[in-house]
């Protein structure tokens, strides 16, 4: 997302709810699409994070079907994706490759096809496709604090009009 557009979106975000990921998704959604690069950015050990997701699924702590979306559209993404795909296979986690568009947009488009689905991403891009998403406030290997957000379309429209004038 263009940095100017990101600033506009950040001004028009409405926080609907805050809590742990299971509090925000369990018994509400059938699918959780996770923008892998966005969520694991800055983690010391992304594989440990994936192992924790696997355990959360195994112990029914996280109930929706989880699908990770991996950036695969550029050569630099493909090299990293190969390692991630290996991890997903070893851990038995579902994934898809975003080959023609950013992972967060691919996740949102796939979510729209599935129904009762929400995207977890740090980026605002899913809100260009769908009305709500979950955004981490803080992620560590041990804890997730998240917020469910939506975009105030009137606010967005007003800022975009100002930008175009």
């Amino acid at each position: 997302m263009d940095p100017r557009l990101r600033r506009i979106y950040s001004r028009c975000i409405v926080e609907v709810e805050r809590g742990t990921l299971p509090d925000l998704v369990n018994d509400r959604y059938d699918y959780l699409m996770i923008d892998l690069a966005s969520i694991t950015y800055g983690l010391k050990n992304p594989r440990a994070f994936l192992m924790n997701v696997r355990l959360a699924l195994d112990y029914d702590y996280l109930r929706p079907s989880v699908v990770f979306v991996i950036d695969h559209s550029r050569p630099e993404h493909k090299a990293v994706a190969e390692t991630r795909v290996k991890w997903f296979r070893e851990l038995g986690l579902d994934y898809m490759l975003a080959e023609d568009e950013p992972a967060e947009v691919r996740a949102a488009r796939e979510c729209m096809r599935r129904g009762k689905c929400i995207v977890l991403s740090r980026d605002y891009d899913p809100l260009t496709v769908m009305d709500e998403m979950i955004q981490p406030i803080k992620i560590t290997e041990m804890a997730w604090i998240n917020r469910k957000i939506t975009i105030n379309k009137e606010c967005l429209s007003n800022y975009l009009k100002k930008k175009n004038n």
Side-chain angles (χ1 to χ4, degrees):
M1 180 178 278
D2 172 300
R4 275 201 212 142
L5 192 54
R6 182 175 287 118
R7 281 191 294 278
I8 291 170
Y9 266 71
S10 69
R11 292 181 180 125
C12 296
I13 292 299
V14 177
E15 183 176 317
V16 177
E17 192 174 356
R18 185 179 287 220
T20 65
L21 189 59
D23 291 338
L24 298 176
V25 299
N26 286 351
D27 304 321
R28 298 179 188 194
Y29 299 98
D30 293 333
Y31 299 95
L32 172 63
M33 306 296 290
I34 299 178
D35 170 12
L36 180 68
S38 158
I39 296 304
T40 58
Y41 176 80
L43 290 180
K44 292 177 191 171
N45 189 345
R47 190 171 195 287
F49 169 81
L50 295 175
M51 289 171 51
N52 285 334
V53 170
R54 175 78 266 161
L55 290 170
L57 291 167
D58 289 347
Y59 287 100
D60 201 34
Y61 185 64
L62 192 57
R63 290 189 207 102
S65 294
V66 175
V67 179
F68 290 89
V69 183
I70 306 169
D71 281 316
H72 199 257
S73 58
R74 297 186 195 150
E76 61 269 21
H77 294 155
K78 291 179 183 182
V80 172
E82 288 177 24
T83 301
R84 302 308 187 250
V85 166
K86 181 181 172 197
W87 292 350
F88 286 117
R89 289 182 179 150
E90 289 171 358
L91 295 168
L93 292 168
D94 291 332
Y95 68 91
M96 67 176 47
L97 301 174
E99 298 184 20
D100 299 329
E101 59 192 339
E104 60 276 10
V105 174
R106 174 76 163 108
R109 289 188 200 290
E110 184 64 27
C111 223
M112 295 299 290
R113 281 192 276 280
R114 293 178 184 235
K116 286 189 78 177
C117 180
I118 194 155
V119 173
L120 174 65
S121 178
R122 289 181 191 267
D123 301 312
Y124 294 125
D125 298 74
L127 293 174
T128 64
V129 176
M130 54 194 309
D131 292 333
E132 64 182 12
M133 64 177 279
I134 295 178
Q135 186 179 55
I137 298 170
K138 180 177 181 175
I139 291 186
T140 67
E141 282 81 1
M142 302 301 285
W144 297 25
I145 306 298
N146 301 279
R147 66 183 186 163
K148 183 175 172 182
I149 59 174
T150 189
I151 188 85
N152 178 326
K153 292 185 180 183
E154 184 178 335
C155 171
L156 184 62
S157 176
N158 289 337
Y159 272 107
L160 292 175
K161 282 179 192 173
K162 287 178 191 177
K163 180 184 171 190
N164 292 331
N165 288 334

